[in-house]
Amino acid sequence: MTSSPPPQRRGSATRPTAPWSLRKQDWAYQQLRERILTGVLAPGEQISQEALAQELGISRGPLRDALSRLAAESLVVDRPHQKSIVAEVSVADARDIYNGRAALESVLAAAAAQADTAERGSLAADFGLLLERQRIAVSLGDAVQVRLLDREFHDTVYELAAMPATLAALDQLRAKSDRYLALYLADSQRAQISVDEHTAIVEALLRGDAEQSAALTRTHVLGGLTLLAGSIAGQPASVSDPV
């Protein structure tokens, strides 16, 4: 899996350079998105297009394109005649996104467990390797790699479902939830819990237990919300009832 170049903290002596393989607007989008996910650009912070364009060594045009994409993902708030700001995080927003994710991801997990037995079996080694890579990343405290591998794990599961329209709808929610996921997985204990839950999901999927695969996935998503919401609000939080 190819990841974007790591973001440079402001004030770094080395200015990041766009690779030849990417358009400048795509590279700017990757750079800014990663800065938001990791907190380099903090919630509520004003975004100076002039300063960022100079820092990234690009013109304002590609930067505006990148900011528009980030606004579509609810990571940036585009304010007319004012500077854009990094979107705030909130319990209400997280609850909305995570409950939608739980509904869609449980359906996809059930469908994946019902995929052809041979097709599921052919991925057993891939799942084993993914889980091992996740454990290593957690042990090293590599939060960025933990997050990338988490996405790769879920992508591998849901591709088995062969439900492209449902997956496309989920991808819209996952784009909005990535910042919450980064916040959740930055805690090593939470990241280890996530890997343990992934292991249980794989076991249910490989034995073709659609009901258990769906239930474990729903618990996985909403359990993450419970802990995350408690962190955001500074107090325990509950999730909505299953629908």
Side-chain angles (χ1 to χ4, degrees):
M1 181 175 180
T2 302
S3 60
S4 61
Q8 298 288 326
R9 289 193 173 271
R10 284 162 292 183
S12 171
T14 303
R15 188 172 74 181
T17 304
W20 289 104
S21 58
L22 284 178
R23 297 183 305 171
K24 289 182 178 180
Q25 56 262 45
D26 295 333
W27 179 76
Y29 163 79
Q30 289 184 354
Q31 287 285 311
L32 295 182
R33 193 174 196 275
E34 193 65 18
R35 292 180 185 205
I36 293 170
L37 294 184
T38 56
V40 175
L41 288 171
E45 182 174 345
Q46 289 190 344
I47 298 173
S48 170
Q49 292 190 28
E50 182 178 359
L52 276 173
Q54 182 176 5
E55 180 184 343
L56 297 175
I58 59 176
S59 65
R60 297 277 288 276
L63 184 60
R64 283 194 295 268
D65 181 85
L67 289 171
S68 295
R69 291 172 63 182
L70 293 168
E73 294 180 1
S74 301
L75 292 175
V76 165
V77 178
D78 189 8
R79 305 179 300 173
H81 312 300
Q82 299 183 65
K83 287 183 178 180
S84 299
I85 62 172
V86 178
E88 299 281 0
V89 295
S90 72
V91 174
D93 185 48
R95 184 177 290 114
D96 182 12
I97 292 169
Y98 271 70
N99 275 281
R101 278 186 50 198
L104 294 175
E105 292 190 50
S106 58
V107 168
L108 289 165
Q114 294 171 320
D116 181 76
T117 303
E119 187 176 5
R120 284 186 284 110
S122 69
L123 289 175
D126 291 338
F127 279 125
L129 179 59
L130 260 175
L131 291 170
E132 181 59 25
R133 289 170 63 199
Q134 285 183 293
R135 292 188 189 98
I136 292 171
V138 170
S139 69
L140 294 175
D142 188 342
V144 172
Q145 187 68 0
V146 167
R147 175 164 45 84
L148 293 174
L149 289 169
D150 179 271
R151 182 59 175 259
E152 186 175 352
F153 170 83
H154 286 286
D155 282 345
T156 304
V157 172
Y158 302 148
E159 284 170 6
L160 268 174
M163 298 175 66
T166 303
L167 184 56
L170 172 61
D171 281 341
Q172 293 182 18
L173 287 174
R174 290 203 291 181
K176 295 180 179 181
S177 74
D178 276 350
R179 185 161 52 151
Y180 294 106
L181 180 64
L183 180 61
Y184 175 82
L185 292 177
D187 183 290
S188 60
Q189 288 185 327
R190 293 176 179 178
Q192 184 57 58
I193 290 171
S194 181
V195 176
D196 293 341
E197 291 174 347
H198 286 175
T199 301
I201 291 168
V202 166
E203 290 172 352
L205 185 154
L206 291 178
R207 65 174 180 266
D209 190 335
E211 183 177 353
Q212 183 73 348
S213 183
L216 288 170
T217 298
R218 184 178 183 82
T219 298
H220 174 63
V221 174
L222 292 183
L225 170 61
T226 302
L227 294 172
L228 179 60
S231 297
I232 294 172
Q235 58 185 11
S238 60
V239 297
S240 68
D241 293 331
V243 293

